Amino acid sequence: NNQMNKNLTICLFILDRHDFTLRFLRYYNKLKLQYPLIIGDGSKNHLNSRIKDEIKKNSNIKYFKFLNEYDKKKKEYNQNKFYHRILFCLKKVKTKYVKFISDDDFIIKYSTEKCINYLEKNKSFDGAGGSILDYTIDKKYYGKIDNMKTVYEIKNFKSKNVEEKLNELYSNWFHS
């Protein structure tokens, strides 16, 4: 397990959903995960004190604030600046592998470790993934799970080009 912690960094990209960010950080800290966590924040607003306190609890968390991602004229976020935020955070990664995650996601330790083991045993692969589970809860941010289903199966990225792999990965989240 300690070796796995040295092999993986988690990159969390946040954007103005501070209730989800707080929930994610509480979960991360409660599980005492030792994977380094890099946060790239493109939010218009600054973090509240509760989130800052969760970040301070764990020396494995590195936080980076990015300004001016919101285009006031178009009243939307600039996708190119989001990609810049991803690349900036990737340059901070010092481990062999990286896991991208969103503030409304939960880390499934067993699945994460299974992916790392797979990559360690299959050196010709540079990525591993599974399914994204969608769920609803009986309250807004905390509560019992009402429903759970698979919504997206991660593809086998065929490109050797990192930029093309990122575009393929995020093509499911950004629609023109």
Side-chain angles (χ1 to χ4, degrees):
N1 251 9
N2 194 23
Q3 183 60 33
M4 283 195 208
N5 296 338
K6 293 177 183 174
N7 279 340
L8 178 71
T9 298
I10 298 169
C11 285
L12 171 66
F13 303 107
I14 60 175
L15 197 62
D16 288 321
R17 300 184 328 163
H18 291 170
D19 288 319
F20 285 111
T21 300
L22 179 61
R23 182 182 70 181
F24 178 90
L25 289 170
R26 284 178 173 163
Y27 174 76
Y28 176 85
N29 284 333
K30 185 176 182 176
L31 289 181
K32 296 182 175 25
L33 295 172
Q34 294 302 305
Y35 304 118
L37 174 63
I38 296 173
I39 301 172
D41 181 2
S43 304
K44 286 188 284 186
N45 302 316
H46 293 284
L47 296 180
N48 62 46
S49 61
R50 294 180 307 166
I51 295 173
K52 289 178 184 177
D53 289 344
E54 285 297 320
I55 290 171
K56 288 176 190 172
K57 285 180 185 178
N58 194 326
S59 62
N60 282 327
I61 301 174
K62 304 294 181 231
Y63 172 82
F64 299 97
K65 175 72 177 155
F66 294 81
L67 302 175
N68 305 317
E69 282 196 26
Y70 189 75
D71 186 328
K72 290 178 184 172
K73 288 181 185 176
K74 292 183 178 180
K75 296 183 180 177
E76 64 184 28
Y77 284 92
N78 183 320
Q79 286 183 8
N80 289 330
K81 290 185 179 182
F82 172 65
Y83 290 123
H84 169 76
R85 185 163 34 118
I86 291 172
L87 290 174
F88 178 91
C89 291
L90 280 174
K91 288 178 183 177
K92 300 294 180 188
V93 171
K94 294 183 177 23
T95 57
K96 196 172 185 179
Y97 306 114
V98 64
K99 177 183 184 97
F100 286 5
I101 200 159
S102 179
D103 55 9
D104 63 347
D105 294 340
F106 291 100
I107 300 163
I108 302 170
K109 191 175 177 186
Y110 168 78
S111 174
T112 301
E113 290 174 357
K114 190 172 179 181
C115 288
I116 294 169
N117 284 331
Y118 181 83
L119 291 171
E120 285 295 300
K121 290 176 184 168
N122 297 278
K123 301 292 185 188
S124 64
F125 284 79
D126 57 7
S131 299
I132 294 175
L133 300 175
D134 186 28
Y135 61 92
T136 57
I137 54 178
D138 62 358
K139 295 187 175 106
K140 193 166 183 179
Y141 301 108
Y142 300 91
K144 293 182 181 180
I145 294 175
D146 287 334
N147 183 23
M148 187 178 292
K149 64 182 177 192
T150 301
V151 292
Y152 169 62
E153 300 248 344
I154 295 174
K155 300 173 191 167
N156 179 8
F157 302 114
K158 297 190 179 8
S159 174
K160 299 275 185 214
N161 180 302
V162 173
E163 185 178 346
E164 288 175 15
K165 286 182 184 185
L166 283 173
N167 283 332
E168 188 175 344
L169 173 66
Y170 282 105
S171 67
N172 289 290
W173 286 294
F174 294 125
H175 301 285
S176 303

